[in-house]
Amino acid sequence: MELLQRLAKLLDVKSLVTLLLTGVFIWLCIQGRIGGDQFLTVFTVVISFYFGVQMEKRRGGGDAP
């Protein structure tokens, strides 16, 4: 049951955008359209923002974006 709850939380809009953006940048890197350093920069910003928002929610920071 807990697995289903976690899966449901994963399917919120921010999570889907994060996963989609990650997939797109992986694809662009594989295709050679962007370099590994560019991928790492964008990926780090996106993941840092996502986990920062999640941590703020857990701390009770109110309405985090």
Side-chain angles (χ1 to χ4, degrees), residues 5-40:
Q5 290 174 344
R6 286 181 182 233
L7 186 58
K9 287 181 182 179
L10 181 65
L11 295 177
D12 69 355
V13 174
K14 284 182 253 179
S15 297
L16 290 174
V17 169
T18 302
L19 292 172
L20 181 64
L21 188 60
T22 299
V24 167
F25 276 97
I26 288 172
W27 180 253
L28 289 173
C29 191
I30 289 171
Q31 292 293 314
R33 295 184 182 178
I34 63 169
D37 56 338
Q38 293 169 320
F39 169 78
L40 185 59

